[in-house]
Amino acid sequence: IQSAWNATWKGIGLCNNALAQMEINQLGLDDATLKAAVAELRALRAYYYWVVLDNWGDAPLVTAPTQDLPTKVSRKEIYDFVVKEATEALPNLSEVQGGVQYGLMNKWAAYALLARTYVNAEVYTGTAQWQEAINACDAIINSGKFQLSANFRDNFLADQGKMAANKEVIFTI
């Protein structure tokens, strides 16, 4: 449990650091590239916060590099943050799927994150969000980019090339 906690917070910290660098555009990126990079980082940070939300509930919510000791917020506040970050990132995320997106958050990974978050909204917040979960799933299904694998075991292959080509996989590292 401690390893999962540490890995999750390391990911959040790395996202926060990278977002702070993007804010001042230290890399000199053009506007479109910068927007895409910020969207991907926000979606990835939302994913990490979903892990916090699902596993620990009430926890700190840190959105910028800091040396200060953070205070806990409610599970509902983390839920709201995950939904807001993923939703706001969507317009600037790539729609490309497949091998070139291996390890990268794209629009479909953000929709999958939203679906997972909405499916458990009643546990997280006390209010069911079934229609929102359906809408997020429909966005993925209606994209036409995915299909179920003929062999269930294909989803657990260790071969990166085969996993990247698997039409059932939405987000993989």
Side-chain angles (χ1 to χ4, degrees):
I1 293 173
Q2 184 172 355
S3 292
W5 175 266
N6 291 342
T8 301
W9 284 102
K10 181 178 181 179
I12 289 168
L14 290 171
C15 287
N16 285 340
N17 288 340
L19 283 164
Q21 291 174 2
M22 297 288 173
E23 211 170 274
I24 58 174
N25 199 2
Q26 276 189 326
L27 302 173
L29 301 173
D30 64 81
D31 192 48
T33 303
L34 182 63
K35 281 183 179 179
V38 167
E40 186 176 340
L41 284 165
R42 288 181 70 191
L44 183 58
R45 181 174 61 181
Y47 168 78
Y48 282 121
Y49 267 110
W50 171 81
V51 173
V52 170
L53 172 69
D54 199 54
N55 287 286
W56 298 287
D58 298 354
L61 181 59
V62 181
T63 60
T66 182
Q67 297 297 317
D68 297 334
L69 186 62
T71 57
K72 276 196 325 184
V73 300
S74 71
R75 191 176 219 183
K76 167 92 168 73
E77 288 175 88
I78 296 175
Y79 169 88
D80 290 341
F81 180 78
V82 169
V83 170
K84 178 181 178 290
E85 286 290 284
T87 302
E88 288 180 1
L90 277 170
N92 294 307
L93 289 170
S94 172
E95 293 188 16
V96 174
Q97 182 63 22
V100 296
Q101 282 298 116
Y102 184 85
L104 301 174
M105 288 291 283
N106 62 15
K107 186 170 282 194
W108 318 115
Y111 274 124
L113 171 62
L114 285 168
R116 291 178 84 164
T117 305
Y118 290 137
V119 141
N120 290 305
E122 193 167 8
V123 173
Y124 302 148
T125 69
T127 303
Q129 299 290 337
W130 299 115
Q131 189 58 55
E132 287 79 0
I134 291 167
N135 294 345
C137 291
D138 282 348
I140 296 167
I141 293 165
N142 294 335
S143 75
K145 295 181 181 284
F146 303 93
Q147 64 188 37
L148 295 177
S149 295
N151 182 351
F152 175 74
R153 293 176 188 251
D154 287 352
N155 295 303
F156 304 97
L157 295 171
D159 183 312
Q160 291 181 8
K162 289 181 181 175
M163 281 302 292
N166 184 335
K167 295 268 188 200
E168 186 169 339
V169 174
I170 295 175
F171 176 60
T172 187
I173 295 177

